[in-house]
Amino acid sequence: MSVITIERKVLEKNDQIAQRNRQFFMERGIIVLNLVSSPGAGKTSILERTFQELRGAMRMAVIEGDVQTDLDAQRVARYDVPVVQIVTLGGCHLEANLVRDALDKLNLSGVELLFIENVGNLVCPSSYDLGEAVKVVVLSTTEGDDKPLKYPAMFRNSSVLLLNKIDLLPYVNCDLTVLKNNALKINPGLRIFEMSCVTGAGFPEWCGWLRNKDVSGL
Amino acid sequence: MSVITIERKVLEKNDQIAQRNRQFFMERGIIVLNLVSSPGAGKTSILERTFQELRGAMRMAVIEGDVQTDLDAQRVARYDVPVVQIVTLGGCHLEANLVRDALDKLNLSGVELLFIENVGNLVCPSSYDLGEAVKVVVLSTTEGDDKPLKYPAMFRNSSVLLLNKIDLLPYVNCDLTVLKNNALKINPGLRIFEMSCVTGAGFPEWCGWLRNKDVSGL
């Protein structure tokens, strides 16, 4: 078995715009969460249930990022939160200037929490700061317990890990302890919530954490 | 709800090298399959079971592509097939020159089938021809039935769809008919196999298809 290793330039051109976005959010007291994951890990389902749980308690808005379609924006629009869809037409991640442009189209009056649902991709979005307060990586149990080791940048650059689909643990080849240890090996500071959109597990803790705005302490 | 659309340049710089790779493979009678999917869809598990089923019947080799670690190469090396690991160190897809360099390190004597397991990413690898005969997209039922519509390029550019983890259908929110219709809407020519690495479903058909080298007729 041979191993070949290739260097990679990290693109940082959008950091300046991201910094201006961050300033914009801080001046308005808006906490911004950048949700990243593989396709199908459950970002939209988590948002839907979060909107249900926090309805009336907090004002929220969402920017949806997708390669194609506005299916996710249609889903979250049912919960009566302001939403803008960014369609990247093949682009594999969101960049700070797309978020900046989306802000013009979003009613942010009174909004306390802004969720940005990134393109489903466990690689590229890790390199692009959007101006968020916190990057939240969603990983489902069906993806296997080795993923933090295989995609370390995303877990290193995130502050929160939502371990989703824990209701499927009896049926999949995934050891939750191994998974959490692998994640903490990459990033010992990760705040981990174990969630299920089917049973509702983890939502009281996750939504309580959002409500307390503990996010600003990260 | 507002929609913003962004144009994207498709990078095609590696097509020339891919064409030379293709020539190399054709001269040697090696059928090359480029396996693409989200992280955790089951590419490596499918390869492991395929090696078991075809052991003795066909000579096979594999090039493993990963962002980090050689965990996948370690897994497939147990099946006594020649393997080279490419570690992209953050790179989100394989390119034709990496495959060309890997060929130097691989014993291809008598090899009939060469599998290239791409980086787990349902976006970027769709744009990069490696010189393969056929692109095979793996999608697991746990990812949801909307994924072909949301990541159309991968399904448009693939000739075969391996629908994996069908054993989990009773537990997940995924309609197999809707999923297949969505995939065929994007690419009516897709050859679809319904698979499970747990029950072995679909492997007789998939391995029979490989053994007959019907792939060359695609």
PDB file of all heavy atoms in Angstrom, chain A residues 1-2 4-6 40 66 69-70 72 85 87 89 120 142 147 149-151 165, chain B residues 1-2 4-5 39-40 66 69-70 72 85 87 89 120 142 147 149-151 165:
ATOM      1  N   MET A   1       0.839  -1.199   0.000  1.00  0.00           N
ATOM      2  CA  MET A   1       0.000   0.000   0.000  1.00  0.00           C
ATOM      3  C   MET A   1       0.869   1.243   0.000  1.00  0.00           C
ATOM      4  O   MET A   1       1.720   1.401   0.869  1.00  0.00           O
ATOM      5  CB  MET A   1      -0.877  -0.025   1.255  1.00  0.00           C
ATOM      6  CG  MET A   1      -1.985   0.964   1.224  1.00  0.00           C
ATOM      7  SD  MET A   1      -2.976   0.836   2.743  1.00  0.00           S
ATOM      8  CE  MET A   1      -1.980   1.799   3.869  1.00  0.00           C
ATOM      9  N   SER A   2       0.678   2.134  -0.974  1.00  0.00           N
ATOM     10  CA  SER A   2       1.453   3.376  -1.060  1.00  0.00           C
ATOM     11  C   SER A   2       0.572   4.562  -0.695  1.00  0.00           C
ATOM     12  O   SER A   2      -0.635   4.520  -0.836  1.00  0.00           O
ATOM     13  CB  SER A   2       1.984   3.583  -2.468  1.00  0.00           C
ATOM     14  OG  SER A   2       2.708   2.464  -2.896  1.00  0.00           O
ATOM     15  N   ILE A   4       0.179   8.750  -1.322  1.00  0.00           N
ATOM     16  CA  ILE A   4       0.604   9.966  -2.010  1.00  0.00           C
ATOM     17  C   ILE A   4      -0.069  11.155  -1.316  1.00  0.00           C
ATOM     18  O   ILE A   4      -1.247  11.087  -0.999  1.00  0.00           O
ATOM     19  CB  ILE A   4       0.167   9.956  -3.490  1.00  0.00           C
ATOM     20  CG1 ILE A   4       0.747   8.728  -4.209  1.00  0.00           C
ATOM     21  CG2 ILE A   4       0.580  11.237  -4.197  1.00  0.00           C
ATOM     22  CD1 ILE A   4       0.194   8.568  -5.616  1.00  0.00           C
ATOM     23  N   THR A   5       0.663  12.213  -1.076  1.00  0.00           N
ATOM     24  CA  THR A   5       0.120  13.359  -0.361  1.00  0.00           C
ATOM     25  C   THR A   5       0.266  14.610  -1.213  1.00  0.00           C
ATOM     26  O   THR A   5       1.301  14.841  -1.806  1.00  0.00           O
ATOM     27  CB  THR A   5       0.863  13.536   0.977  1.00  0.00           C
ATOM     28  OG1 THR A   5       0.587  12.409   1.797  1.00  0.00           O
ATOM     29  CG2 THR A   5       0.408  14.791   1.690  1.00  0.00           C
ATOM     30  N   ILE A   6      -0.796  15.409  -1.287  1.00  0.00           N
ATOM     31  CA  ILE A   6      -0.792  16.601  -2.132  1.00  0.00           C
ATOM     32  C   ILE A   6      -1.058  17.849  -1.289  1.00  0.00           C
ATOM     33  O   ILE A   6      -1.965  17.877  -0.470  1.00  0.00           O
ATOM     34  CB  ILE A   6      -1.902  16.502  -3.213  1.00  0.00           C
ATOM     35  CG1 ILE A   6      -1.642  15.288  -4.066  1.00  0.00           C
ATOM     36  CG2 ILE A   6      -1.946  17.756  -4.071  1.00  0.00           C
ATOM     37  CD1 ILE A   6      -2.451  14.093  -3.679  1.00  0.00           C
ATOM     38  N   GLY A  40     -27.992  15.269   3.281  1.00  0.00           N
ATOM     39  CA  GLY A  40     -28.874  14.303   3.935  1.00  0.00           C
ATOM     40  C   GLY A  40     -28.591  14.020   5.394  1.00  0.00           C
ATOM     41  O   GLY A  40     -29.160  13.083   5.963  1.00  0.00           O
ATOM     42  N   ASP A  66     -28.185  26.125  -1.574  1.00  0.00           N
ATOM     43  CA  ASP A  66     -28.283  24.847  -2.277  1.00  0.00           C
ATOM     44  C   ASP A  66     -27.642  24.951  -3.648  1.00  0.00           C
ATOM     45  O   ASP A  66     -27.608  26.023  -4.250  1.00  0.00           O
ATOM     46  CB  ASP A  66     -29.753  24.424  -2.433  1.00  0.00           C
ATOM     47  CG  ASP A  66     -30.269  23.714  -1.198  1.00  0.00           C
ATOM     48  OD1 ASP A  66     -29.763  22.619  -0.897  1.00  0.00           O
ATOM     49  OD2 ASP A  66     -31.151  24.259  -0.521  1.00  0.00           O
ATOM     50  N   THR A  69     -32.369  23.941  -6.837  1.00  0.00           N
ATOM     51  CA  THR A  69     -33.726  23.887  -6.252  1.00  0.00           C
ATOM     52  C   THR A  69     -33.877  24.803  -5.036  1.00  0.00           C
ATOM     53  O   THR A  69     -32.912  25.153  -4.379  1.00  0.00           O
ATOM     54  CB  THR A  69     -34.192  22.463  -5.793  1.00  0.00           C
ATOM     55  OG1 THR A  69     -33.620  22.154  -4.517  1.00  0.00           O
ATOM     56  CG2 THR A  69     -33.861  21.410  -6.822  1.00  0.00           C
ATOM     57  N   ASP A  70     -35.146  25.139  -4.740  1.00  0.00           N
ATOM     58  CA  ASP A  70     -35.453  25.872  -3.502  1.00  0.00           C
ATOM     59  C   ASP A  70     -36.323  25.017  -2.591  1.00  0.00           C
ATOM     60  O   ASP A  70     -37.140  25.515  -1.831  1.00  0.00           O
ATOM     61  CB  ASP A  70     -36.126  27.216  -3.813  1.00  0.00           C
ATOM     62  CG  ASP A  70     -37.444  27.051  -4.570  1.00  0.00           C
ATOM     63  OD1 ASP A  70     -37.829  25.899  -4.872  1.00  0.00           O
ATOM     64  OD2 ASP A  70     -38.091  28.070  -4.847  1.00  0.00           O
ATOM     65  N   ASP A  72     -35.549  23.339   0.082  1.00  0.00           N
ATOM     66  CA  ASP A  72     -35.346  23.569   1.519  1.00  0.00           C
ATOM     67  C   ASP A  72     -36.018  24.864   1.968  1.00  0.00           C
ATOM     68  O   ASP A  72     -36.620  24.914   3.050  1.00  0.00           O
ATOM     69  CB  ASP A  72     -33.852  23.615   1.848  1.00  0.00           C
ATOM     70  CG  ASP A  72     -33.219  22.228   1.774  1.00  0.00           C
ATOM     71  OD1 ASP A  72     -33.968  21.238   1.650  1.00  0.00           O
ATOM     72  OD2 ASP A  72     -31.986  22.136   1.853  1.00  0.00           O
ATOM     73  N   GLN A  85     -33.396  32.070  -0.352  1.00  0.00           N
ATOM     74  CA  GLN A  85     -32.709  30.915  -0.945  1.00  0.00           C
ATOM     75  C   GLN A  85     -31.564  31.399  -1.823  1.00  0.00           C
ATOM     76  O   GLN A  85     -31.777  32.229  -2.709  1.00  0.00           O
ATOM     77  CB  GLN A  85     -33.685  30.099  -1.788  1.00  0.00           C
ATOM     78  CG  GLN A  85     -33.065  28.941  -2.547  1.00  0.00           C
ATOM     79  CD  GLN A  85     -32.825  27.723  -1.668  1.00  0.00           C
ATOM     80  OE1 GLN A  85     -33.731  27.249  -1.012  1.00  0.00           O
ATOM     81  NE2 GLN A  85     -31.595  27.226  -1.659  1.00  0.00           N
ATOM     82  N   VAL A  87     -29.134  29.893  -4.640  1.00  0.00           N
ATOM     83  CA  VAL A  87     -28.874  28.726  -5.491  1.00  0.00           C
ATOM     84  C   VAL A  87     -27.510  28.932  -6.140  1.00  0.00           C
ATOM     85  O   VAL A  87     -27.315  29.899  -6.883  1.00  0.00           O
ATOM     86  CB  VAL A  87     -29.964  28.555  -6.570  1.00  0.00           C
ATOM     87  CG1 VAL A  87     -29.642  27.383  -7.478  1.00  0.00           C
ATOM     88  CG2 VAL A  87     -31.333  28.350  -5.926  1.00  0.00           C
ATOM     89  N   LEU A  89     -25.933  27.030  -8.321  1.00  0.00           N
ATOM     90  CA  LEU A  89     -25.805  26.450  -9.671  1.00  0.00           C
ATOM     91  C   LEU A  89     -24.501  25.669  -9.832  1.00  0.00           C
ATOM     92  O   LEU A  89     -23.710  25.943 -10.739  1.00  0.00           O
ATOM     93  CB  LEU A  89     -25.886  27.548 -10.731  1.00  0.00           C
ATOM     94  CG  LEU A  89     -27.278  28.094 -11.046  1.00  0.00           C
ATOM     95  CD1 LEU A  89     -27.190  29.123 -12.160  1.00  0.00           C
ATOM     96  CD2 LEU A  89     -28.238  26.984 -11.440  1.00  0.00           C
ATOM     97  N   GLY A 120     -24.777  21.098   1.166  1.00  0.00           N
ATOM     98  CA  GLY A 120     -24.431  19.808   1.761  1.00  0.00           C
ATOM     99  C   GLY A 120     -23.089  19.309   1.243  1.00  0.00           C
ATOM    100  O   GLY A 120     -22.993  18.838   0.111  1.00  0.00           O
ATOM    101  N   THR A 142     -25.764   7.450  10.607  1.00  0.00           N
ATOM    102  CA  THR A 142     -25.709   6.554   9.445  1.00  0.00           C
ATOM    103  C   THR A 142     -24.437   6.747   8.621  1.00  0.00           C
ATOM    104  O   THR A 142     -24.102   5.917   7.788  1.00  0.00           O
ATOM    105  CB  THR A 142     -26.913   6.786   8.513  1.00  0.00           C
ATOM    106  OG1 THR A 142     -26.889   8.142   8.052  1.00  0.00           O
ATOM    107  CG2 THR A 142     -28.217   6.545   9.247  1.00  0.00           C
ATOM    108  N   LYS A 147     -16.002   9.389  10.520  1.00  0.00           N
ATOM    109  CA  LYS A 147     -16.033  10.609   9.695  1.00  0.00           C
ATOM    110  C   LYS A 147     -15.251  11.798  10.270  1.00  0.00           C
ATOM    111  O   LYS A 147     -14.618  12.526   9.481  1.00  0.00           O
ATOM    112  CB  LYS A 147     -17.481  11.007   9.368  1.00  0.00           C
ATOM    113  CG  LYS A 147     -18.184  10.003   8.451  1.00  0.00           C
ATOM    114  CD  LYS A 147     -17.432   9.802   7.144  1.00  0.00           C
ATOM    115  CE  LYS A 147     -17.920   8.584   6.352  1.00  0.00           C
ATOM    116  NZ  LYS A 147     -17.652   7.265   6.983  1.00  0.00           N
ATOM    117  N   LEU A 149     -12.427  11.774  11.689  1.00  0.00           N
ATOM    118  CA  LEU A 149     -11.017  11.551  11.337  1.00  0.00           C
ATOM    119  C   LEU A 149     -10.788  11.764   9.846  1.00  0.00           C
ATOM    120  O   LEU A 149      -9.720  12.229   9.435  1.00  0.00           O
ATOM    121  CB  LEU A 149     -10.588  10.129  11.722  1.00  0.00           C
ATOM    122  CG  LEU A 149     -10.767   9.739  13.193  1.00  0.00           C
ATOM    123  CD1 LEU A 149     -10.314   8.298  13.417  1.00  0.00           C
ATOM    124  CD2 LEU A 149      -9.985  10.688  14.101  1.00  0.00           C
ATOM    125  N   LYS A 150     -11.793  11.425   9.024  1.00  0.00           N
ATOM    126  CA  LYS A 150     -11.628  11.500   7.572  1.00  0.00           C
ATOM    127  C   LYS A 150     -11.885  12.896   7.014  1.00  0.00           C
ATOM    128  O   LYS A 150     -11.421  13.213   5.925  1.00  0.00           O
ATOM    129  CB  LYS A 150     -12.541  10.474   6.894  1.00  0.00           C
ATOM    130  CG  LYS A 150     -12.135   9.028   7.221  1.00  0.00           C
ATOM    131  CD  LYS A 150     -13.044   8.026   6.568  1.00  0.00           C
ATOM    132  CE  LYS A 150     -12.901   8.025   5.060  1.00  0.00           C
ATOM    133  NZ  LYS A 150     -13.828   7.053   4.435  1.00  0.00           N
ATOM    134  N   TYR A 151     -12.643  13.702   7.748  1.00  0.00           N
ATOM    135  CA  TYR A 151     -12.967  15.074   7.312  1.00  0.00           C
ATOM    136  C   TYR A 151     -12.643  16.033   8.459  1.00  0.00           C
ATOM    137  O   TYR A 151     -13.523  16.737   8.951  1.00  0.00           O
ATOM    138  CB  TYR A 151     -14.439  15.163   6.900  1.00  0.00           C
ATOM    139  CG  TYR A 151     -14.766  14.206   5.770  1.00  0.00           C
ATOM    140  CD1 TYR A 151     -15.140  12.898   6.024  1.00  0.00           C
ATOM    141  CD2 TYR A 151     -14.638  14.612   4.444  1.00  0.00           C
ATOM    142  CE1 TYR A 151     -15.400  11.995   4.991  1.00  0.00           C
ATOM    143  CE2 TYR A 151     -14.893  13.730   3.408  1.00  0.00           C
ATOM    144  CZ  TYR A 151     -15.278  12.423   3.693  1.00  0.00           C
ATOM    145  OH  TYR A 151     -15.522  11.552   2.663  1.00  0.00           O
ATOM    146  N   LYS A 165     -29.897  11.696  14.104  1.00  0.00           N
ATOM    147  CA  LYS A 165     -30.423  10.353  13.784  1.00  0.00           C
ATOM    148  C   LYS A 165     -29.964   9.307  14.796  1.00  0.00           C
ATOM    149  O   LYS A 165     -29.651   8.172  14.420  1.00  0.00           O
ATOM    150  CB  LYS A 165     -30.025   9.928  12.356  1.00  0.00           C
ATOM    151  CG  LYS A 165     -30.420  10.947  11.277  1.00  0.00           C
ATOM    152  CD  LYS A 165     -30.266  10.403   9.866  1.00  0.00           C
ATOM    153  CE  LYS A 165     -30.407  11.511   8.827  1.00  0.00           C
ATOM    154  NZ  LYS A 165     -30.265  11.080   7.452  1.00  0.00           N
TER     155      LYS A 165
ATOM    156  N   MET B   1     -40.304  34.873  -0.068  1.00  0.00           N
ATOM    157  CA  MET B   1     -39.090  34.076  -0.333  1.00  0.00           C
ATOM    158  C   MET B   1     -38.402  34.589  -1.606  1.00  0.00           C
ATOM    159  O   MET B   1     -39.027  34.652  -2.651  1.00  0.00           O
ATOM    160  CB  MET B   1     -39.485  32.609  -0.513  1.00  0.00           C
ATOM    161  CG  MET B   1     -38.342  31.668  -0.502  1.00  0.00           C
ATOM    162  SD  MET B   1     -38.921  29.950  -0.679  1.00  0.00           S
ATOM    163  CE  MET B   1     -39.157  29.849  -2.443  1.00  0.00           C
ATOM    164  N   SER B   2     -37.135  34.950  -1.508  1.00  0.00           N
ATOM    165  CA  SER B   2     -36.373  35.429  -2.671  1.00  0.00           C
ATOM    166  C   SER B   2     -35.378  34.373  -3.121  1.00  0.00           C
ATOM    167  O   SER B   2     -34.929  33.562  -2.321  1.00  0.00           O
ATOM    168  CB  SER B   2     -35.598  36.693  -2.321  1.00  0.00           C
ATOM    169  OG  SER B   2     -36.472  37.670  -1.795  1.00  0.00           O
ATOM    170  N   ILE B   4     -31.711  33.903  -5.217  1.00  0.00           N
ATOM    171  CA  ILE B   4     -30.533  34.512  -5.848  1.00  0.00           C
ATOM    172  C   ILE B   4     -29.801  33.412  -6.604  1.00  0.00           C
ATOM    173  O   ILE B   4     -29.625  32.320  -6.085  1.00  0.00           O
ATOM    174  CB  ILE B   4     -29.577  35.115  -4.801  1.00  0.00           C
ATOM    175  CG1 ILE B   4     -30.301  36.165  -3.956  1.00  0.00           C
ATOM    176  CG2 ILE B   4     -28.351  35.716  -5.470  1.00  0.00           C
ATOM    177  CD1 ILE B   4     -29.470  36.658  -2.795  1.00  0.00           C
ATOM    178  N   THR B   5     -29.371  33.686  -7.817  1.00  0.00           N
ATOM    179  CA  THR B   5     -28.713  32.669  -8.637  1.00  0.00           C
ATOM    180  C   THR B   5     -27.326  33.161  -9.048  1.00  0.00           C
ATOM    181  O   THR B   5     -27.163  34.309  -9.431  1.00  0.00           O
ATOM    182  CB  THR B   5     -29.574  32.374  -9.883  1.00  0.00           C
ATOM    183  OG1 THR B   5     -30.797  31.790  -9.450  1.00  0.00           O
ATOM    184  CG2 THR B   5     -28.859  31.434 -10.821  1.00  0.00           C
ATOM    185  N   PRO B  39     -20.154  11.638   1.949  1.00  0.00           N
ATOM    186  CA  PRO B  39     -19.470  10.867   2.989  1.00  0.00           C
ATOM    187  C   PRO B  39     -20.436   9.882   3.645  1.00  0.00           C
ATOM    188  O   PRO B  39     -21.581  10.225   3.926  1.00  0.00           O
ATOM    189  CB  PRO B  39     -19.052  11.943   4.009  1.00  0.00           C
ATOM    190  CG  PRO B  39     -19.003  13.223   3.228  1.00  0.00           C
ATOM    191  CD  PRO B  39     -20.088  13.090   2.195  1.00  0.00           C
ATOM    192  N   GLY B  40     -19.969   8.653   3.839  1.00  0.00           N
ATOM    193  CA  GLY B  40     -20.777   7.694   4.593  1.00  0.00           C
ATOM    194  C   GLY B  40     -21.892   7.019   3.825  1.00  0.00           C
ATOM    195  O   GLY B  40     -22.728   6.339   4.420  1.00  0.00           O
ATOM    196  N   ASP B  66      -8.934  10.148  -0.317  1.00  0.00           N
ATOM    197  CA  ASP B  66      -9.483  10.683   0.924  1.00  0.00           C
ATOM    198  C   ASP B  66      -8.856  12.029   1.238  1.00  0.00           C
ATOM    199  O   ASP B  66      -7.714  12.293   0.874  1.00  0.00           O
ATOM    200  CB  ASP B  66      -9.240   9.714   2.087  1.00  0.00           C
ATOM    201  CG  ASP B  66     -10.294   8.622   2.151  1.00  0.00           C
ATOM    202  OD1 ASP B  66     -11.471   8.962   2.386  1.00  0.00           O
ATOM    203  OD2 ASP B  66      -9.954   7.450   1.935  1.00  0.00           O
ATOM    204  N   THR B  69      -6.301  10.567   6.232  1.00  0.00           N
ATOM    205  CA  THR B  69      -6.214   9.175   6.710  1.00  0.00           C
ATOM    206  C   THR B  69      -6.145   8.161   5.563  1.00  0.00           C
ATOM    207  O   THR B  69      -6.566   8.447   4.442  1.00  0.00           O
ATOM    208  CB  THR B  69      -7.390   8.713   7.627  1.00  0.00           C
ATOM    209  OG1 THR B  69      -8.519   8.373   6.823  1.00  0.00           O
ATOM    210  CG2 THR B  69      -7.736   9.744   8.663  1.00  0.00           C
ATOM    211  N   ASP B  70      -5.620   6.974   5.887  1.00  0.00           N
ATOM    212  CA  ASP B  70      -5.652   5.865   4.934  1.00  0.00           C
ATOM    213  C   ASP B  70      -6.527   4.731   5.473  1.00  0.00           C
ATOM    214  O   ASP B  70      -6.298   3.559   5.189  1.00  0.00           O
ATOM    215  CB  ASP B  70      -4.234   5.379   4.622  1.00  0.00           C
ATOM    216  CG  ASP B  70      -3.507   4.863   5.854  1.00  0.00           C
ATOM    217  OD1 ASP B  70      -4.093   4.906   6.961  1.00  0.00           O
ATOM    218  OD2 ASP B  70      -2.362   4.412   5.714  1.00  0.00           O
ATOM    219  N   ASP B  72      -9.541   3.850   4.654  1.00  0.00           N
ATOM    220  CA  ASP B  72     -10.233   3.067   3.618  1.00  0.00           C
ATOM    221  C   ASP B  72      -9.281   2.101   2.925  1.00  0.00           C
ATOM    222  O   ASP B  72      -9.644   0.958   2.641  1.00  0.00           O
ATOM    223  CB  ASP B  72     -10.879   3.997   2.586  1.00  0.00           C
ATOM    224  CG  ASP B  72     -12.113   4.702   3.152  1.00  0.00           C
ATOM    225  OD1 ASP B  72     -12.541   4.339   4.265  1.00  0.00           O
ATOM    226  OD2 ASP B  72     -12.625   5.605   2.475  1.00  0.00           O
ATOM    227  N   GLN B  85      -3.345   4.619  -1.847  1.00  0.00           N
ATOM    228  CA  GLN B  85      -4.128   5.658  -1.186  1.00  0.00           C
ATOM    229  C   GLN B  85      -3.648   7.026  -1.647  1.00  0.00           C
ATOM    230  O   GLN B  85      -2.454   7.323  -1.581  1.00  0.00           O
ATOM    231  CB  GLN B  85      -3.967   5.561   0.340  1.00  0.00           C
ATOM    232  CG  GLN B  85      -4.631   6.676   1.142  1.00  0.00           C
ATOM    233  CD  GLN B  85      -6.127   6.464   1.298  1.00  0.00           C
ATOM    234  OE1 GLN B  85      -6.579   5.417   1.725  1.00  0.00           O
ATOM    235  NE2 GLN B  85      -6.913   7.481   0.928  1.00  0.00           N
ATOM    236  N   VAL B  87      -4.042  10.870  -0.521  1.00  0.00           N
ATOM    237  CA  VAL B  87      -4.546  11.757   0.535  1.00  0.00           C
ATOM    238  C   VAL B  87      -4.475  13.181  -0.007  1.00  0.00           C
ATOM    239  O   VAL B  87      -3.395  13.675  -0.326  1.00  0.00           O
ATOM    240  CB  VAL B  87      -3.718  11.635   1.832  1.00  0.00           C
ATOM    241  CG1 VAL B  87      -4.221  12.616   2.889  1.00  0.00           C
ATOM    242  CG2 VAL B  87      -3.775  10.212   2.362  1.00  0.00           C
ATOM    243  N   LEU B  89      -5.239  16.008   1.502  1.00  0.00           N
ATOM    244  CA  LEU B  89      -4.972  17.037   2.526  1.00  0.00           C
ATOM    245  C   LEU B  89      -5.906  18.233   2.388  1.00  0.00           C
ATOM    246  O   LEU B  89      -5.447  19.382   2.261  1.00  0.00           O
ATOM    247  CB  LEU B  89      -3.526  17.498   2.454  1.00  0.00           C
ATOM    248  CG  LEU B  89      -2.479  16.559   3.040  1.00  0.00           C
ATOM    249  CD1 LEU B  89      -1.100  17.184   2.960  1.00  0.00           C
ATOM    250  CD2 LEU B  89      -2.812  16.183   4.475  1.00  0.00           C
ATOM    251  N   GLY B 120     -15.404  11.666  -0.512  1.00  0.00           N
ATOM    252  CA  GLY B 120     -16.826  11.728  -0.198  1.00  0.00           C
ATOM    253  C   GLY B 120     -17.359  13.136  -0.360  1.00  0.00           C
ATOM    254  O   GLY B 120     -17.134  13.996   0.496  1.00  0.00           O
ATOM    255  N   THR B 142     -30.749   6.732   3.607  1.00  0.00           N
ATOM    256  CA  THR B 142     -30.805   7.631   4.765  1.00  0.00           C
ATOM    257  C   THR B 142     -30.614   9.093   4.378  1.00  0.00           C
ATOM    258  O   THR B 142     -30.892   9.983   5.165  1.00  0.00           O
ATOM    259  CB  THR B 142     -29.710   7.267   5.787  1.00  0.00           C
ATOM    260  OG1 THR B 142     -28.432   7.385   5.146  1.00  0.00           O
ATOM    261  CG2 THR B 142     -29.869   5.849   6.278  1.00  0.00           C
ATOM    262  N   LYS B 147     -32.435  13.999  -3.013  1.00  0.00           N
ATOM    263  CA  LYS B 147     -31.039  14.329  -3.320  1.00  0.00           C
ATOM    264  C   LYS B 147     -30.709  14.410  -4.820  1.00  0.00           C
ATOM    265  O   LYS B 147     -29.926  15.275  -5.216  1.00  0.00           O
ATOM    266  CB  LYS B 147     -30.075  13.378  -2.589  1.00  0.00           C
ATOM    267  CG  LYS B 147     -30.085  13.574  -1.068  1.00  0.00           C
ATOM    268  CD  LYS B 147     -29.777  14.998  -0.668  1.00  0.00           C
ATOM    269  CE  LYS B 147     -30.068  15.301   0.805  1.00  0.00           C
ATOM    270  NZ  LYS B 147     -31.512  15.260   1.172  1.00  0.00           N
ATOM    271  N   LEU B 149     -32.453  15.664  -7.139  1.00  0.00           N
ATOM    272  CA  LEU B 149     -32.888  16.986  -7.591  1.00  0.00           C
ATOM    273  C   LEU B 149     -31.974  18.080  -7.051  1.00  0.00           C
ATOM    274  O   LEU B 149     -31.735  19.093  -7.713  1.00  0.00           O
ATOM    275  CB  LEU B 149     -34.327  17.264  -7.137  1.00  0.00           C
ATOM    276  CG  LEU B 149     -35.392  16.254  -7.574  1.00  0.00           C
ATOM    277  CD1 LEU B 149     -36.757  16.669  -7.047  1.00  0.00           C
ATOM    278  CD2 LEU B 149     -35.413  16.131  -9.096  1.00  0.00           C
ATOM    279  N   LYS B 150     -31.444  17.877  -5.835  1.00  0.00           N
ATOM    280  CA  LYS B 150     -30.640  18.920  -5.192  1.00  0.00           C
ATOM    281  C   LYS B 150     -29.180  18.889  -5.633  1.00  0.00           C
ATOM    282  O   LYS B 150     -28.474  19.882  -5.498  1.00  0.00           O
ATOM    283  CB  LYS B 150     -30.746  18.789  -3.664  1.00  0.00           C
ATOM    284  CG  LYS B 150     -32.159  19.088  -3.159  1.00  0.00           C
ATOM    285  CD  LYS B 150     -32.263  18.929  -1.664  1.00  0.00           C
ATOM    286  CE  LYS B 150     -31.457  19.977  -0.931  1.00  0.00           C
ATOM    287  NZ  LYS B 150     -31.562  19.799   0.531  1.00  0.00           N
ATOM    288  N   TYR B 151     -28.712  17.727  -6.112  1.00  0.00           N
ATOM    289  CA  TYR B 151     -27.323  17.594  -6.573  1.00  0.00           C
ATOM    290  C   TYR B 151     -27.329  16.985  -7.983  1.00  0.00           C
ATOM    291  O   TYR B 151     -26.778  15.903  -8.205  1.00  0.00           O
ATOM    292  CB  TYR B 151     -26.529  16.724  -5.582  1.00  0.00           C
ATOM    293  CG  TYR B 151     -26.521  17.305  -4.197  1.00  0.00           C
ATOM    294  CD1 TYR B 151     -27.538  17.028  -3.296  1.00  0.00           C
ATOM    295  CD2 TYR B 151     -25.519  18.199  -3.803  1.00  0.00           C
ATOM    296  CE1 TYR B 151     -27.567  17.606  -2.033  1.00  0.00           C
ATOM    297  CE2 TYR B 151     -25.533  18.772  -2.544  1.00  0.00           C
ATOM    298  CZ  TYR B 151     -26.561  18.470  -1.669  1.00  0.00           C
ATOM    299  OH  TYR B 151     -26.572  19.053  -0.425  1.00  0.00           O
ATOM    300  N   LYS B 165     -28.078   0.828   1.320  1.00  0.00           N
ATOM    301  CA  LYS B 165     -28.751   0.802   2.639  1.00  0.00           C
ATOM    302  C   LYS B 165     -30.269   0.648   2.498  1.00  0.00           C
ATOM    303  O   LYS B 165     -31.028   1.266   3.248  1.00  0.00           O
ATOM    304  CB  LYS B 165     -28.409   2.064   3.458  1.00  0.00           C
ATOM    305  CG  LYS B 165     -26.903   2.322   3.598  1.00  0.00           C
ATOM    306  CD  LYS B 165     -26.597   3.378   4.629  1.00  0.00           C
ATOM    307  CE  LYS B 165     -25.119   3.789   4.548  1.00  0.00           C
ATOM    308  NZ  LYS B 165     -24.747   4.829   5.504  1.00  0.00           N
TER     309      LYS B 165
END
